[in-house]
Amino acid sequence: MTRSITILGATGSIGASTLDLIRRNRDLWQVEALTANCSAKELAKLAREFNAKIAVVGDESCLDELREALAGSDVEAAGGEAALCEAAARPADFTVAAIVGCAGLRPVMSAIERGGILALANKEALVSAGDVMTAAIRKHEVCLLPTDSEHNAIFQSLGANNLTDVSRITLTASGGPFRTWTQEQLEAATPEQAVAHPNWDMGAKISVDSATMMNKGLELIEAHYMFPVGLDRIQIVVHPQSVVHSMVEFRDRSTLAQLGPSDMRVPIASCLAWPHRMDTPLEPLNLAEIGELSFFEPDEERFPATRLARNALNSGNGAPAVLNAANEVAVAAFLAGQIGFTRIAAVAEEMLLRYSAQQPSTLEDVLAIDADVRIRTAEVLENYAVV
Ligand code: NDP
């Protein structure tokens, strides 16, 4: 049976992995909408290849380029944030949410309001709008499939068990490229070093988040909303080999884990085929070759981001949205060479201390916090300039 699919963020790393799997199963999928921000030529190429009904660029100034690249095809072209939301709201059985950052929130909410299956990679949207988004998911009876590898591992390990039987969820973290670096080395870390993740091939923003461990902080918040067992029952353990993608311990002390190659096509395939399984082009896991799996406590002195995330969740009142927005701005500044690596978490911490928000109860409340924190973080950043 053919299913229709929309991919928000089709030109990114998750988008490419998803389309790679769809390319291998063309007869099973009909592509409805593909979106990007401004990679117009790349988007047009994908839209032509997959016979998409519509291609949308979030940045309206890139629409002419998209139209030109789609000339002579049947693919409709559109641009701007409203067009992204309209594309997300078009009838489709399955949506992959893979825009990076809180920029994905409005389109994701449009997809949720439409209903169907939502494979969520865009963790920043859930982190910023946790209660608002989960309420909308319940209201519109959306089937949420976690695509982030850790959350997908938890989802698979939970199986048909009740959350009330869970005694602990363990999120594994690779520790990133700087896991063994001293504080002094961290101070001098460059963007090129930060995006060179030892195990995963990902977009620039999430690669920097992995290096600061903010990725794990955001995932802690994501796990709290997806699997509400209580924050004290969610722990983080550093596992440099990235073979065990996360685990669930039950009250009888059985622990179930999901293992696999560190390739996002594994969790994406589990979502695309759910509740069944599908083939992937990956090699079988060779544990004898891997030899050793090791686990360590996280070091929150050198990598304070997970502590900040826990504090943000505990303080509520929109603090996760504050943390996310401040981090997005700080990461962009780091990638642009404007601030040093260790300043990313410092800026996020400063914004959490300075900014007091009200508990957001609507999407507009969340977006207002996000927009405001971005402006204020940019002001704070001036104090941290490299030169
Ligand atoms: P990439 O940077 O590779 O891709 C991001 C995608 O979002 C691109 O299609 C990009 O378009 C689009 N985009 C960026 N900004 C905007 C905007 N303002 N409006 C509309 N579209 C936009 O990111 P990843 O694929 O690495 O990550 C996507 C999401 O998935 C993130 O939330 C990340 O945390 C999460 N994730 C990623 C994993 C990975 O392995 N990559 C693993 C687990 C989760 P354009 O090409 O035009 O810039």
Side-chain angles (χ1 to χ4, degrees):
M1 199 181 71
T2 307
R3 288 197 291 171
S4 53
I5 186 165
T6 284
I7 303 173
L8 306 171
T11 50
S13 160
I14 293 287
S17 294
T18 307
L19 287 168
D20 179 72
L21 294 170
I22 290 179
R23 192 177 280 116
R24 295 164 195 274
N25 296 276
R26 285 297 292 272
D27 50 332
L28 296 180
W29 296 98
Q30 192 214 305
V31 175
E32 180 67 26
L34 296 179
T35 81
N37 188 35
C38 197
S39 304
K41 285 201 182 77
E42 209 182 326
L43 179 66
K45 193 166 168 243
L46 293 171
R48 282 176 186 273
E49 179 191 350
F50 288 94
N51 245 328
K53 296 212 177 117
I54 185 167
V56 184
V57 278
D59 183 339
E60 211 165 348
S61 71
C62 307
L63 179 55
D64 284 346
E65 195 187 345
L66 178 66
R67 281 207 180 105
E68 205 175 299
L70 284 172
S73 76
D74 292 337
V75 186
E76 202 182 314
E81 199 192 31
L84 279 181
C85 295
E86 282 164 25
R90 287 167 73 109
D93 301 314
F94 202 105
T95 304
V96 177
I99 292 176
V100 62
C102 197
L105 177 54
R106 235 189 242 283
V108 169
M109 289 298 280
S110 298
I112 290 172
E113 282 161 22
R114 186 215 50 216
I117 301 178
L118 174 69
L120 183 75
N122 179 201
K123 64 191 87 183
E124 298 91 344
L126 183 60
V127 166
S128 302
D131 291 325
V132 171
M133 194 191 283
T134 46
I137 285 170
R138 276 194 298 273
K139 180 175 169 195
H140 298 283
E141 297 181 351
V142 165
C143 171
L144 176 69
L145 297 178
T147 307
D148 216 346
S149 59
E150 294 76 2
H151 305 75
N152 187 268
I154 295 163
F155 180 70
Q156 293 197 47
S157 302
L158 271 173
N161 289 284
N162 288 323
L163 275 186
T164 47
D165 285 332
V166 171
S167 61
R168 193 168 48 168
I169 286 175
T170 302
L171 286 168
T172 53
S174 70
F178 305 149
R179 181 175 63 86
T180 57
W181 287 30
T182 63
Q183 187 65 32
E184 250 177 19
Q185 288 174 307
L186 290 177
E187 306 282 348
T190 66
E192 293 71 29
Q193 291 167 326
V195 297
H197 196 280
N199 306 342
W200 298 91
D201 182 12
M202 310 183 284
K205 193 262 177 182
I206 185 175
S207 298
V208 175
D209 283 346
S210 296
T212 58
M213 290 284 282
M214 187 60 84
N215 185 45
K216 217 45 59 181
L218 299 179
E219 287 179 5
L220 185 76
I221 299 174
E222 188 184 6
H224 167 78
Y225 285 112
M226 285 183 167
F227 313 105
V229 294
L231 191 52
D232 56 332
R233 292 184 183 211
I234 308 177
Q235 70 164 21
I236 295 167
V237 69
V238 175
H239 166 48
Q241 296 85 3
S242 298
V243 170
V244 178
H245 296 300
S246 278
M247 1 183 179
V248 179
E249 182 189 68
F250 296 93
R251 62 195 174 112
D252 60 5
R253 297 291 177 238
S254 261
T255 296
L256 298 188
Q258 185 259 349
L259 283 69
S262 35
D263 187 309
M264 284 306 291
R265 286 175 294 181
V266 177
I268 294 169
S270 131
C271 294
L272 291 177
W274 185 85
H276 307 290
R277 296 280 175 179
M278 64 185 278
D279 292 336
T280 66
L282 300 165
E283 292 299 316
L285 196 61
N286 186 335
L287 285 175
E289 199 171 90
I290 294 164
E292 194 175 288
L293 300 179
S294 44
F295 301 93
F296 306 95
E297 286 288 335
D299 177 350
E300 292 191 341
E301 289 292 317
R302 282 180 307 138
F303 301 102
T306 48
R307 171 176 56 78
L308 300 183
R310 210 177 300 110
N311 291 349
L313 253 186
N314 280 329
S315 43
N317 290 332
V322 174
L323 176 70
N324 180 69
N327 181 59
E328 282 193 37
V329 174
V331 169
F334 168 69
L335 285 170
Q338 289 159 3
I339 60 169
F341 178 77
T342 56
R343 298 295 178 224
I344 301 172
V347 168
E349 179 154 34
E350 186 160 344
M351 289 313 296
L352 279 175
L353 290 171
R354 276 185 185 212
Y355 194 92
S356 62
Q358 299 283 328
Q359 181 62 26
S361 52
T362 65
L363 172 62
E364 297 312 319
D365 292 346
V366 177
L367 291 169
I369 294 173
D370 180 74
D372 203 18
V373 172
R374 280 168 198 272
I375 294 168
R376 306 238 193 144
T377 308
E379 289 163 7
V380 164
L381 278 179
E382 287 177 16
N383 300 330
Y384 285 113
V386 168
V387 283

